[in-house]
Amino acid sequence: MGAGDSVNVGYWTRLGDGRIECRLCPRLCKMRAGQRGLCFVRRAREDGEGMELTAYGRSTGFCVDPIEKKPLNHFLPGSSVLSFGTAGCNLACAFCQNWDISKSREVERLSAHAAPETIARAAERLGCASVAYTYNDPVIFMEYALDVAAACRTLGVKNVAVTAGFVCEEPRKRLFAGMDAANVDLKAFTERFYSKRCAGALEPVLDTLKYLVHETDVWTEITTLLIPGENDSDDEIEALTQWVARELKRDVPLHFTAFHPDYHMLETAPTPLPTLQRARSIAIKNGLHHAYVGNVRDPAREATLCGNCGARCIGRDRYEITEYRLDASGRCLACGSRMAGVFAAKPGTWGSRRLPVDIERYAA
Ligand code: SF4
């Protein structure tokens, strides 16, 4: 399969009226021949004989980032990750922080052509421990993401999904079988918010989180972008964090990140630091071991503490590791408890750099 092709894809059914219904994500778009779904990159074939992914091999935004930027604080800390995405998205968040990619109809046309082997080779040569499928959502370009992931695995490079988790049950299993880690956006804890602000639904996201934590070995962290007046009430944060403690595990890391006015929410103020700090305090009160603030500088609340003795095991200043007190097997130097997560014998040294990558230089 070459880079830049449209490829036939599964997860669809034909309806009685002749339309194709996509069964990849819970949106269940219904399309006549040639029509695209809401995500833009999946469409019913012109001949009406199935569906195709138009973004196969067309990717954008190649950049080497710190893994902490995904954010993942318990997955190979200090390592670098090669990030990319495609056009389109299967949610329609009014506050989208990547709307230039996710909503642009031009991105697909302007994207670089990158075969899976090219991306894996670039990651290996650039010394990246992993590749991240990010910016939009690997759910919608799953077949491409999985081919890249397979190429990465042959070179010893790991795979990270940055996703909203809005995906149906069968494709969910297939997508995450190719992943080593995931950061799932839990955008709020009410159906109302998901419906009004994202044109989506909460329940399938909760199902994805339960699946990841209880039925896979994929290392999973959660991010909630707190938007003033929208999803930042004490009641909502209480409910969200109690659910994580009760239905997932207490050592699943939770990142509360700051909103910046963007896209259709330019009138909403940025998230004040005390809001993030309050959310983190509620999470800890409810028994979560690893709650972080993000998109702000607050070293005391960006640090990783031992879930057993409370000792500071990893110090951070934004994306920079400032202190590392885990042994080579990922145990706390103070009490010997194993830290939840995936750790190398030593932390990486990538720091906070961001390196744009010309992917076509790595083509065979
Ligand atoms: S993956 Fe795309 S086409 Fe399929 S249901 Fe979701 S938004 Fe619609």
Side-chain angles (χ1 to χ4, degrees):
M1 203 177 290
D5 298 329
S6 285
V7 298
N8 291 332
V9 292
Y11 303 113
W12 57 272
T13 192
R14 187 179 304 286
L15 300 174
D17 62 6
R19 289 182 300 169
I20 300 277
E21 181 177 272
C22 177
R23 298 276 178 92
L24 176 58
C25 93
R27 187 168 302 286
L28 304 178
C29 293
K30 295 159 187 60
M31 293 159 272
R32 298 207 178 279
Q35 281 185 333
R36 291 180 184 258
L38 177 125
C39 63
F40 183 71
V41 296
R42 301 181 87 88
R43 76 176 168 206
R45 281 172 41 165
E46 290 288 353
D47 62 7
E49 294 301 315
M51 286 194 63
E52 57 192 0
L53 168 64
T54 63
Y56 190 100
R58 294 179 188 222
S59 31
T60 188
F62 286 94
C63 209
V64 181
D65 287 320
I67 192 74
E68 286 77 11
K69 196 169 182 183
K70 298 301 96 191
L72 287 172
N73 279 356
H74 294 239
F75 185 76
L76 304 175
S79 67
S80 59
V81 54
L82 177 61
S83 300
F84 79 97
T86 69
C89 191
N90 58 337
L91 290 176
C93 301
F95 49 89
C96 184
Q97 311 271 294
N98 288 317
W99 60 270
D100 49 337
I101 289 175
S102 65
K103 296 298 165 217
S104 171
R105 297 325 192 209
E106 282 295 283
V107 165
E108 187 181 69
R109 188 174 63 78
L110 299 175
S111 293
H113 287 191
E117 297 72 21
T118 299
I119 298 173
R121 192 180 306 119
E124 186 197 37
R125 291 199 187 153
L126 288 161
C128 297
S130 50
V131 162
Y133 309 85
T134 180
Y135 304 133
N136 53 345
D137 199 308
V139 166
I140 64 167
F141 62 95
M142 183 173 85
E143 295 79 4
Y144 181 38
L146 285 173
D147 285 351
V148 178
C152 285
R153 282 193 170 162
T154 64
L155 297 181
V157 175
K158 297 194 182 303
N159 295 289
V160 173
V162 181
T163 174
F166 193 60
V167 59
C168 293
E169 187 176 345
E170 283 308 311
R172 175 188 293 141
K173 291 181 190 163
R174 190 165 152 226
L175 173 65
F176 290 112
M179 298 294 138
D180 300 288
N183 188 296
V184 179
D185 254 344
L186 180 54
K187 293 174 186 286
F189 205 63
T190 63
E191 289 291 356
R192 183 173 172 276
F193 181 99
Y194 266 88
S195 155
K196 182 175 152 218
R197 290 299 189 188
C198 308
L202 170 63
E203 202 60 39
V205 182
L206 300 184
D207 289 345
T208 294
L209 281 166
K210 285 191 271 192
Y211 172 73
L212 282 169
V213 171
H214 296 302
E215 296 184 47
T216 75
D217 293 327
V218 178
W219 175 253
T220 301
E221 304 192 18
I222 300 172
T223 297
T224 299
L225 181 79
L226 290 180
I227 306 173
E230 295 284 341
N231 63 356
D232 65 341
S233 71
D234 282 3
D235 285 352
E236 187 162 345
I237 294 165
E238 285 281 357
L240 186 156
T241 54
Q242 285 172 13
W243 183 87
V244 173
R246 187 179 67 246
E247 301 290 337
L248 301 181
K249 288 180 183 168
R250 290 175 186 269
D251 59 11
V252 174
L254 179 52
H255 302 254
F256 292 108
T257 57
F259 162 83
H260 302 291
D262 218 331
Y263 198 44
H264 290 319
M265 291 186 73
L266 291 170
E267 307 305 319
T268 304
T271 314
L273 180 58
T275 298
L276 303 174
Q277 295 172 337
R278 172 173 52 83
R280 177 179 176 276
S281 298
I282 292 172
I284 288 169
K285 172 184 73 78
N286 285 330
L288 299 190
H289 295 156
H290 306 295
Y292 299 98
V293 301
N295 289 350
V296 292
R297 182 163 181 271
D298 185 356
R301 295 173 182 82
E302 296 169 79
T304 295
L305 308 181
C306 174
N308 181 51
C309 73
R312 192 156 104 155
C313 293
I314 307 175
R316 295 186 188 82
D317 186 350
R318 297 292 310 256
Y319 307 129
E320 200 85 41
I321 304 282
T322 56
E323 183 181 7
Y324 195 83
R325 294 183 51 74
L326 294 176
D327 70 13
S329 60
R331 292 179 182 279
C332 169
L333 287 184
C335 75
S337 296
R338 183 178 293 284
M339 179 64 72
V342 176
F343 300 94
K346 288 182 178 171
T349 56
W350 179 253
S352 57
R353 282 174 287 160
R354 177 171 171 79
L355 176 72
V357 172
D358 176 4
I359 197 68
E360 289 173 2
R361 285 184 49 203
Y362 296 88

